[in-house]
Amino acid sequence: MNHAHVSHKPVVELKSLTKSFDGKEIISRFNLTVNDGEFLTILGPSGCGKTTVLRLIAGLEDADSGRVIIDGKDVTDIPAEQRHVNTVFQSYALFPHMSVFENVAFGLRMQGVDRTTIEPRVMEALRMVQLDHYASRKPHQLSGGQQQRVAIARAVVNKPKVLLLDESLSALDYKLRKRMQMELKQLQRKLGITFIFVTHDQEEALSMSDRILVMRDGEIEQDGSPREIYEEPKNLFVARFIGEINVFDATVIKRMDEQRIWARIESRECEVYCKLDVRAGDQVKVLLRPEDIRIEEISDDANPNGLIGYVRERNYKGMTLDSVLEMPSGQTVMVSEFFNEDDPDVDHSLDQKVAITWVESWEVVLADEKA
Ligand code: ATP
């Protein structure tokens, strides 16, 4: 991925921020640095504190302790309207009686920007979101996606240093949402403004961000690029939160070399790529994404040197054929294979006995933790 647009100049710095509501600590000693031009997504389950982090950056909430620094300036005690930060909420509440132009111009007028400057700035913002031909319409004459674009134009017209987006696309239907994801990312590149985007939709986070922060209970579980988060989750929580994953309990039998261990999964022994410092007898978790698993056909009485399972479900998804396998222990295994009609191997029949294989080094091994 090309990150050429991201500089190493910090534009938002949160230093040991703590915030409680009703005596309960929601954000605990939270540290974060966001660089200029970065598209950062904060991802996490409902109630983990994502919105609270945004509100602390925006100045809509005061921290109990810690500092908020924007563009090098300590703004902890500075009110929201004086921070160079705008927010686009899920309910983007446009003024219904005002035209699109007036909606976008409103903030500039309130700031006392002079008339001759307002017109070109508003039209430029509307061009950015491809709504310059709709300037005289009222919000009710626009689709949901167009209204959302007006809200974004309104938020970028005064060229903030940082734009905060709180579940900004979640009111849109699936197709529109996909399109807006692309548009928003392109817009962010064009503007060079730092975007901090909050969502609980992992697919949205993976496709839009330069960097993802996975949160749980007010703390950061992992901070990395979309690929790092998906391919090298640091723990079971992150692994499970980002997409489907199969988790196998395994016992270490011995270390083979720096990269590989010999381990037992169910009653089978196999080679596993493992960077952890483990020794014989240790319990570990072996994680495999559904698309990294292959199903091999075997005859019913075969005793293959690998894991076996029985095909219990097959779901045709267009691009892929997804199967649910059941292992002798009762554990289910999800498999997602590219579907190619000319490849008969992918067409497994129900209840067929199959071997479960994968390419060594595609698995992630974690120390044992509570599942
Ligand atoms: P969601 O995805 O559901 O929006 P979130 O991760 O954005 O969740 P927050 O809105 O930051 O979570 O809320 C975190 C916790 O803080 C929740 O338990 C919430 O009930 C609590 N909370 C947030 N704001 C307040 C408030 N003003 N008063 C009391 N509790 C609050």
Side-chain angles (χ1 to χ4, degrees):
M1 204 180 295
N2 179 11
H3 298 294
H5 58 291
V6 179
S7 83
H8 292 292
K9 183 171 161 274
V11 69
V12 175
E13 292 163 273
L14 305 182
K15 299 199 166 163
S16 201
L17 275 191
T18 298
K19 176 73 185 171
S20 301
F21 289 114
D22 310 323
K24 187 170 180 286
E25 209 165 88
I26 299 299
I27 299 295
S28 316
R29 290 176 299 284
F30 196 92
N31 291 298
L32 174 67
T33 300
V34 190
N35 289 321
D36 200 16
E38 198 163 35
F39 196 127
L40 174 86
T41 297
I42 305 180
L43 180 67
S46 182
C48 71
K50 305 181 294 292
T51 298
T52 304
V53 171
L54 279 200
R55 291 176 62 83
L56 288 165
I57 297 171
L60 300 169
E61 211 72 74
D62 288 328
D64 301 335
S65 63
R67 312 304 300 171
V68 178
I69 293 158
I70 293 173
D71 207 19
K73 188 172 162 203
D74 190 327
V75 297
T76 316
D77 303 314
I78 288 181
E81 61 278 9
Q82 287 170 32
R83 300 184 182 189
H84 295 286
V85 172
N86 288 337
T87 311
V88 180
F89 296 100
Q90 179 185 346
S91 53
Y92 31 85
L94 303 175
F95 299 114
H97 56 285
M98 287 187 192
S99 68
V100 165
F101 183 96
E102 293 302 327
N103 263 284
V104 177
F106 185 78
L108 297 177
R109 286 207 207 294
M110 294 301 283
Q111 286 172 16
V113 176
D114 79 85
R115 225 165 236 286
T116 51
T117 318
I118 290 179
E119 153 104 38
R121 295 255 308 260
V122 171
M123 291 314 290
E124 185 196 354
L126 286 176
R127 254 193 308 280
M128 286 273 191
V129 296
Q130 293 152 35
L131 284 178
D132 41 326
H133 299 303
Y134 292 75
S136 57
R137 290 219 188 166
K138 294 278 171 58
H140 75 267
Q141 296 170 308
L142 301 178
S143 70
Q146 289 166 337
Q147 289 181 31
Q148 182 59 291
R149 299 212 297 254
V150 177
I152 290 162
R154 187 174 60 177
V156 298
V157 73
N158 65 348
K159 304 203 162 70
K161 272 275 154 202
V162 183
L163 186 64
L164 308 176
L165 300 112
D166 192 358
E167 302 272 2
S168 305
L169 305 182
S170 54
L172 306 176
D173 71 48
Y174 181 78
K175 260 192 145 163
L176 192 53
R177 188 172 176 154
K178 289 271 148 211
R179 211 179 71 210
M180 283 299 293
Q181 286 173 5
M182 301 275 286
E183 287 184 8
L184 204 55
K185 196 175 161 136
Q186 283 168 6
L187 182 70
Q188 189 263 346
R189 289 251 170 102
K190 239 189 304 186
L191 293 170
I193 295 176
T194 304
F195 276 29
I196 305 182
F197 185 84
V198 156
T199 183
H200 57 251
D201 179 334
Q202 44 98 12
E203 205 183 311
E204 193 161 274
L206 289 175
S207 64
M208 294 175 84
S209 328
D210 296 314
R211 183 176 153 205
I212 298 176
L213 213 65
V214 182
M215 279 185 71
R216 171 166 60 167
D217 296 340
E219 291 182 25
I220 298 170
E221 289 286 329
Q222 192 165 350
D223 177 350
S225 70
R227 276 190 79 161
E228 280 165 354
I229 299 275
Y230 189 80
E231 293 176 12
E232 292 171 52
K234 277 196 176 151
N235 56 38
L236 273 181
F237 174 80
V238 175
R240 287 217 170 96
F241 197 75
I242 314 284
E244 292 278 0
I245 197 141
N246 296 293
V247 181
F248 300 96
D249 289 313
T251 308
V252 179
I253 294 171
K254 63 173 183 196
R255 179 157 283 289
M256 299 173 69
D257 58 32
E258 274 177 17
Q259 310 238 306
R260 297 168 307 152
I261 56 170
W262 188 248
R264 184 182 300 112
I265 301 176
E266 300 239 321
S267 57
R268 305 286 166 176
E269 294 182 7
C270 56
E271 220 171 77
V272 176
Y273 178 81
C274 175
K275 288 187 275 188
L276 298 179
D277 180 20
V278 290
R279 56 203 69 194
D282 284 353
Q283 298 294 312
V284 292
K285 304 274 184 206
V286 173
L287 275 50
L288 276 162
R289 295 281 177 198
E291 65 273 20
D292 292 339
I293 296 183
R294 293 285 164 272
I295 297 177
E296 273 175 28
E297 310 232 332
I298 50 174
S299 65
D300 256 358
D301 51 4
N303 190 15
N305 183 25
L307 294 172
I308 61 157
Y310 296 88
V311 181
R312 295 300 188 216
E313 260 183 64
R314 291 181 316 148
N315 299 313
Y316 173 69
K317 293 277 178 64
M319 282 277 276
T320 60
L321 185 70
D322 294 355
S323 309
V324 180
L325 310 183
E326 187 183 351
M327 297 172 75
S329 65
Q331 177 174 348
T332 54
V333 179
M334 322 281 286
V335 184
S336 187
E337 297 173 293
F338 269 113
F339 188 70
N340 172 2
E341 277 182 43
D342 302 331
D343 179 1
D345 276 358
V346 185
D347 207 8
H348 324 289
S349 49
L350 280 183
D351 295 326
Q352 190 179 352
K353 181 177 171 183
V354 295
I356 300 168
T357 63
W358 63 86
V359 175
E360 188 203 332
S361 89
W362 284 11
E363 65 279 88
V364 176
V365 181
L366 298 174
D368 199 22
E369 56 180 300
K370 241 171 103 187

